[in-house]
DNA sequence: AAACGTTCCAACCGCTCTATT
DNA sequence: GAATAGAGCGGTTGGAACGTT
């Protein structure tokens, strides 16, 4: 089956979203929830196809999205999970709840892939790697990446205040997301934004809150337009942002039991991965992986590395 | 200052999966 | 079980921003 016919309709607008469109979309979703995307364009009058509306919400407007530079920890998580799972961006994103799959995918394609290629190239030049097997030999090169990143960690950290110097309108959705965090956190279902359906609040929240959001969005627009001549003035990540991130991460640090009920931070993809890994008797238990992913103290990395030394990447790639 | 090349990422495309009838 | 619609996922691209000459 092809793409939805709505996307072929004449009159469907394409290209970057405007602040006005964002306001319309956010206010609609605030009222009705992020579902039934088919009805969004007709109900809101937006000249966008339903798919475009969903992507805009999922990738930029929904609460809790973190934008800007990836931390060394996030880089490590992405690199390691990519070596384990391949290009399953949704699964990888489920371990970085504030990052979207699209964001991770872009970051991988524009930064990490090059980095790894460079490292592999250097390793090949040293004659360390047999070139017959094109698959990534995860432990060697990931270990090199870890070392390299450790050395770069301080640089990245000190560079954080200058992150996101390239600022287009879309980057102001960072501010929108931050504003919407109040909405999310006040919701009775305070969930991580890892999965859309779990992060939305219900449609029957009171109207005052809705108008507050619109007010806040309008404020962002005003600020955005005032800053036209001052591109790149996005506020640096605050301590609150880091606290929020940490609170998200700490929510899932307990090894999961197979309870049969999926908690907000345990998307189905993670279960897929667990099932997949569990099927291989020589694969590490996923809780160990999770613990490592969510714990900067990397003593467990060694254990994980030992466990996966004979199995990583071969049945997965 | 202008021209050109490169980088980056928001958005789109096409396919697959899932739910519904 | 088949057909259809809606939603999700991963790959790709267009164009703005940035860097270099």
């Amino acid at each position: 089956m092809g793409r939805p016919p709505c996307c072929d309709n004449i009159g469907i607008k394409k290209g970057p979203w405007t602040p006005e469109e964002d306001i319309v979309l956010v206010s609609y979703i605030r009222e009705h929830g992020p579902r039934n995307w088919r009805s969004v364009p007709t109900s809101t009058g937006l000249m966008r196809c339903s798919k475009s509306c969903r992507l805009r919400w999922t990738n930029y407007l929904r609460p809790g999205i973190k934008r800007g530079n990836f931390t060394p920890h996030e880089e490590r998580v992405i690199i390691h999970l990519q070596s384990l799972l391949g290009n399953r961006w949704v699964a990888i994103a489920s371990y970085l709840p504030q990052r979207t799959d699209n964001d991770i995918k872009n970051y991988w394609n524009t930064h990490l892939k090059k980095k790894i290629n460079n490292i592999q190239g250097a390793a090949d030049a040293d004659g360390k790697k047999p070139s017959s097997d094109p698959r990534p030999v995860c432990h060697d090169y990931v270990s090199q990446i870890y070392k390299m990143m450790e050395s770069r960690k301080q640089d990245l950290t000190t560079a954080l205040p200058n992150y996101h110097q390239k600022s287009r309108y879309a980057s102001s959705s960072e501010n929108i997301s931050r504003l919407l965090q109040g909405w999310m956190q006040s919701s009775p279902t305070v969930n991580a934004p890892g999965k859309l359906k779990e992060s939305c609040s219900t449609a029957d929240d009171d109207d005052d809150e809705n108008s507050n959001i619109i007010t806040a969005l309008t404020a962002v627009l005003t600020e955005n337009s005032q800053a036209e001549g001052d591109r790149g003035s996005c506020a640096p990540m605050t301590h609150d942002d880091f606290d929020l991130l940490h609170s998200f991460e700490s929510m899932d640090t307990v090894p999961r039991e197979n309870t049969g009920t999926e908690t907000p931070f345990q998307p189905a993809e993670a279960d897929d991965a667990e099932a997949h890994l569990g099927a291989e008797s020589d694969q590490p238990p996923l809780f160990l992986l999770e613990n490592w992913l969510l714990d900067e103290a990397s003593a467990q990395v060694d254990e994980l590395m030992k466990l996966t030394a004979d199995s990583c990447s071969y049945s997965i790639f």
Side-chain angles (χ1 to χ4, degrees):
Chain A
M1 192 185 302
R3 60 199 159 100
C6 69
C7 294
D8 292 329
N9 284 356
I10 295 171
I12 292 296
K13 188 180 170 188
K14 294 181 179 179
W17 281 66
T18 65
E20 291 77 14
E21 288 175 310
D22 283 343
I23 288 179
V24 170
L25 180 60
V26 168
S27 59
Y28 176 84
I29 292 171
R30 178 69 187 86
E31 196 172 344
H32 298 93
R35 62 182 73 87
N36 196 10
W37 294 105
R38 189 77 171 178
S39 69
V40 172
T42 51
S43 300
T44 61
L46 285 169
M47 303 301 286
R48 301 277 182 174
C49 69
S50 57
K51 202 171 180 178
S52 184
C53 293
R54 178 175 57 80
L55 284 174
R56 183 65 183 171
W57 170 258
T58 304
N59 289 333
Y60 299 99
L61 296 177
R62 69 174 161 83
I65 290 178
K66 176 183 163 191
R67 309 197 64 76
N69 281 2
F70 281 68
T71 65
H73 178 221
E74 287 174 319
E75 287 192 6
R76 282 158 52 184
V77 169
I78 293 167
I79 289 168
H80 194 84
L81 281 175
Q82 205 281 338
S83 75
L84 287 170
L85 302 172
N87 296 351
R88 297 177 64 194
W89 305 116
V90 174
I92 293 170
S94 70
Y95 288 90
L96 296 170
Q98 292 195 304
R99 300 290 188 180
T100 67
D101 57 338
N102 203 42
D103 216 10
I104 292 170
K105 181 173 61 182
N106 282 332
Y107 191 68
W108 172 264
N109 287 331
T110 57
H111 294 94
L112 298 180
K113 203 155 76 174
K114 285 179 201 165
K115 224 179 258 185
I116 288 169
N117 284 341
N118 288 340
I119 290 169
Q120 282 190 295
D124 289 344
D126 288 345
K128 288 179 180 175
K129 291 284 173 293
S131 57
S132 58
D133 190 349
R135 293 173 302 189
V137 183
C138 83
H139 299 300
D140 286 352
Y141 83 83
V142 168
S143 295
Q144 291 178 59
I145 289 162
Y146 293 154
K147 288 175 189 168
M148 182 188 70
M149 286 184 172
E150 279 306 314
S151 67
R152 290 192 56 216
K153 197 170 184 177
Q154 189 60 40
D155 294 341
L156 287 165
T157 305
T158 54
L160 261 180
N162 297 321
Y163 86 106
H164 224 270
Q165 290 186 338
K166 285 174 67 174
S167 173
R168 304 167 191 172
Y169 160 65
S171 66
S172 73
S173 62
E174 175 184 12
N175 297 330
I176 294 174
S177 295
R178 194 171 299 155
L179 287 164
L180 289 173
Q181 278 170 1
W183 163 28
M184 179 187 66
Q185 287 169 338
S186 65
S187 164
T189 54
V190 179
N191 292 328
K195 281 290 179 184
L196 181 62
K197 57 175 172 278
E198 288 131 359
S199 66
C200 64
S201 61
T202 54
D204 48 2
D205 291 333
D206 59 64
D207 289 347
D208 286 342
E209 211 175 350
N210 189 31
S211 63
N212 286 341
I213 290 165
I214 300 305
T215 305
L217 282 165
T218 308
V220 169
L221 292 181
T222 306
E223 184 182 337
N224 195 51
S225 61
Q226 285 173 344
E228 271 301 313
D230 186 24
R231 294 255 178 226
S233 62
C234 285
M237 188 177 293
T238 65
H239 284 101
D240 286 345
D241 294 329
F242 280 115
D243 289 345
L244 183 62
L245 173 62
H246 185 74
S247 69
F248 280 140
E249 290 184 337
S250 63
M251 286 173 69
D252 201 24
T253 54
V254 178
R256 258 192 299 155
E257 300 292 331
N258 189 7
T259 61
T261 57
E262 196 178 59
T263 63
F265 268 76
Q266 293 151 4
E269 288 285 4
D271 287 339
D272 287 350
E274 183 164 17
H276 183 85
L277 293 174
E280 309 282 342
S281 60
D282 54 352
Q283 295 286 355
L286 189 64
F287 74 82
L288 200 57
L289 173 63
E290 287 182 322
N291 278 352
W292 170 71
L293 291 170
L294 298 166
D295 188 358
E296 270 288 332
S298 57
Q300 293 174 31
V301 173
D302 294 337
E303 190 176 358
L304 181 66
M305 288 302 191
K306 283 179 204 162
L307 282 168
T308 58
D310 297 323
S311 57
C312 173
S313 82
Y314 304 120
S315 60
I316 295 171
F317 292 103

